Amino acid sequence: MEKKTVLSGIQPSGILTLGNYVGALRNWSLLQQDDRFCYYCVANLHAITVKQDAEALNRRTLEAAALLLACGIDPKRSALFIQSHVKEHTELAWVLNCGTYIGELNRMTQFKDKSQRHADNINAGLFTYPVLMAADILLYQASYIPVGKDQKQHVELARDIAIRFNKNYGDAFIVPEPIIPKLGGKIMSLTDPTKKMSKSDPNPNSYIAITDEPSVILKKFKRAVTDSEGIIAYDPERPGVTNLLSIYCTFTGKTPEEAVAEFAGQGYGKLKTAVADAVIAELEPIQNEYKRLLDEKTYLKSVLDDGAAQARSTARKTVDDVLRRVGLDATVM
Ligand code: TRP
């Protein structure tokens, strides 16, 4: 059986939230199926497009890897690796940079956002970040790229880069497709449910971190902003309750109708506690496993070494082929 390849990456920049869990980590683990092989990387090269403290970056990179394992990434079905351990990423990125137009990069909405937020550090890496991401994807001949909605534009650029390269140099790359979760993108802030839940929100009550203690999770849900109407309904006019209901459905597998029926006529307190319970039931075992793995240094190192070796062997084949097609192998005959 010819297996299709899945690839995704996560940046090790700070706290990972319930939004990251539902939108990314949880799906990554579900995508590990018999007819696929997955490559999952901790995208630390991407992280330095904004200022990082070296020690903290190293620590968070390894923590992100441990968290991925705790969320169910299985080293037998997936290559789990650190992006900077596989030099082919930067090597291919250069070639792809020369096949990407400034006009295309100028259209990237994330670049526009980030250059506003980091106005004192609009570096060239921030600008060419989507090309590095295209290299991540194309190196492994990945067909499916699970990402949040915010990354869709980057995957589309990777497709355009692949199509153009294939046209100019012959079929070197599989043209990838994004896989966007229907529910995941929709987890909203608990303090302002009209905004997306975000780890960069200065108010920690606005988000649930994957590593928040159960008592903290309960407290944050209890404080979640709702409204004064006391009506349990999916209603865009009542974003707070709607957000709680949709988190509840995501974590229990119930349909919106079932959830509404279950809490109809009850106060928001019941719903809040039930949401917290459902989230804790899923996150607590992950948190325990995460803590255990952080102490299993030898195991973690062996998983990451194996993952990088496996990634490298696939990536090398692609880069060698690309160099040959472009006329960069320069072998003396
Ligand atoms: N840019 C992605 C993000 O910030 C992370 C990422 C890096 C990625 N390389 C990737 C996602 C390759 C998918 C495929 O979320």
Side-chain angles (χ1 to χ4, degrees), residues 268-286:
Y268 293 150
K270 261 264 170 57
L271 171 63
K272 288 177 168 182
T273 318
V275 180
D277 286 347
V279 170
I280 291 165
E282 188 160 330
L283 290 190
E284 203 174 18
I286 292 175

Side-chain angles (χ1 to χ4, degrees), residues 7-11 13 20 28 41-43 46 83 89 110 114 129 132-134 136-137 145-148 150-151 154-155 199:
L7 175 134
S8 199
I10 189 154
Q11 289 198 58
S13 35
N20 299 112
W28 290 12
C41 77
V42 181
H46 279 93
Q83 189 185 28
H89 289 251
Q110 193 177 66
K114 283 201 179 174
Y129 168 122
L132 179 60
M133 182 161 154
D136 299 345
I137 294 170
I145 317 299
V147 283
D150 62 317
Q151 295 296 316
H154 290 161
V155 179
K199 62 193 171 197

